[in-house]
Amino acid sequence: MRGSIFLIFGVFLLAATPAWSASCGNGPAGFEAWKQAFIAGSAQHGLKQRVVQRALKDVRYNPKVVRLDRNQKSFKLSFEQFYAKRVNNAMIRRGQKLGKTYGRIFKGIERKYGVPAPVILSIWGLETNYGSFSGNMPVLQSLATLAYDCRRARFFTNELVNALIIVQRRDMTPAEMKGAWAGEIGQTQFLASSYVKYAVDYDRNGRRDLIRSIPDVLASTANYLAKHGWRRGQGWAPGTANYKVLQKWNKAGVYVKAISVMAAKIGG
């Protein structure tokens, strides 16, 4: 999964959240006061205070999240090194098999969004090895910790608000929201702001669930690309308009090229 390397890739930051009175901090001492101030001011974010109170009741400052945020390393691998590290023939074969297993769903998704199965399969494989591991850290705890931390408080306050919107609209409970250390959620690793904006209830069960519902995962990934300008019926090789769309999924050049090459191989 993206984890610390690909923290801000593949996300869409919503408009800046309203100003509020709580102060950020650089250690655990002020976290509880910050949390209570956030809860008290939740209405200005369009949130119901009782929902936020329940959701954040047991949330504590997590020093591990701050350490991971501080220790991100720049990504220096060449494409060849990256591709060899992340992709192998077994992944390609598994992608092809999953394309057949969910063939009917993929056909419906392509009809609706214009995004072909190999591209979605490539992203699914690269992000979480087709859902094998999408993270096990409590999303609200991670985001609250990072929203309180002064380094990127504005960015992560926005993500925390969006994660609480997910809870408020009953897509997931706080306990169900487990993900990567920086709050990425689901089998293709959406940050909460992207989840709110692009997740779809493709299986029509009344919830947008990018952790357990494969139809929702695949369709939401296609919706993200479609909303960013994917051109139906066109290729995705470097230099194409669709390749530029993939660059909006992830800003790392080696990652985007890996999506493109892997998708071509899955498609045969």
Side-chain angles (χ1 to χ4, degrees):
M1 58 187 171
R2 281 177 287 178
S4 60
I5 294 174
F6 299 112
L7 172 61
I8 64 170
F9 304 143
V11 303
F12 185 90
L13 183 59
L14 298 178
T17 53
W20 54 292
S21 59
S23 299
C24 66
N26 290 305
F31 180 78
E32 188 60 29
W34 172 91
K35 187 178 80 170
Q36 295 306 320
F38 180 89
I39 292 168
S42 55
Q44 65 185 296
H45 299 294
L47 297 166
K48 297 176 183 177
Q49 187 169 333
R50 59 182 175 77
V51 172
V52 177
Q53 179 78 53
R54 285 199 305 266
L56 299 185
K57 179 182 177 182
D58 297 320
V59 166
R60 302 288 181 265
Y61 180 87
N62 188 344
K64 178 181 178 181
V65 170
V66 174
R67 287 197 303 272
L68 289 167
D69 186 50
R70 294 287 191 274
N71 293 328
Q72 293 186 88
K73 302 292 190 287
S74 58
F75 201 68
K76 301 291 187 181
L77 297 180
S78 68
F79 168 72
E80 290 74 19
Q81 291 170 324
F82 176 80
Y83 194 83
K85 185 180 178 73
R86 297 294 298 274
V87 183
N88 55 44
N89 290 334
M91 280 186 69
I92 300 296
R93 289 193 298 271
R94 189 176 177 204
Q96 291 169 335
K97 182 177 180 180
L98 287 168
K100 293 176 182 177
T101 300
Y102 298 105
R104 182 182 58 81
I105 292 172
F106 277 117
K107 286 178 182 176
I109 287 171
E110 185 167 4
R111 280 196 303 270
K112 184 169 184 177
Y113 300 105
V115 183
V119 173
I120 304 170
L121 285 159
S122 178
I123 291 171
W124 191 17
L126 283 167
E127 292 290 356
T128 63
N129 194 15
Y130 307 109
S132 296
F133 185 72
S134 57
N136 58 11
M137 297 183 70
V139 167
L140 291 177
Q141 180 163 278
S142 293
L143 292 179
T145 298
L146 292 167
Y148 163 72
D149 186 66
C150 287
R151 195 165 91 88
R152 285 182 290 173
R154 186 185 185 93
F155 178 88
F156 282 107
T157 297
N158 182 63
E159 294 304 326
L160 176 60
V161 168
N162 278 280
L164 290 164
I165 290 172
I166 294 168
V167 174
Q168 182 166 281
R169 70 186 189 184
R170 299 183 179 179
D171 285 332
M172 287 190 288
T173 67
E176 291 170 334
M177 294 178 70
K178 299 288 181 67
W181 69 264
E184 300 96 332
I185 307 167
Q187 297 188 33
T188 53
Q189 298 286 270
F190 278 36
L191 280 186
S193 55
S194 291
Y195 200 118
V196 169
K197 195 171 183 69
Y198 303 112
V200 296
D201 177 21
Y202 197 75
D203 62 12
R204 299 182 182 180
N205 71 346
R207 304 170 65 190
R208 286 152 284 203
D209 185 350
L210 304 192
I211 293 178
R212 292 161 304 187
S213 171
I214 288 176
D216 288 4
V217 168
L218 303 178
S220 298
T221 305
N223 186 44
Y224 181 101
L225 297 174
K227 288 295 196 317
H228 282 83
W230 188 271
R231 297 190 183 182
R232 182 185 298 268
Q234 297 187 18
W236 56 82
T240 64
N242 284 338
Y243 193 81
K244 291 180 180 178
V245 174
L246 294 177
Q247 290 173 321
K248 295 176 182 177
W249 178 270
N250 194 303
K251 295 181 181 179
V254 293
Y255 200 98
V256 175
K257 189 173 181 181
I259 293 173
S260 178
V261 172
M262 185 176 172
K265 291 187 176 183
I266 289 173

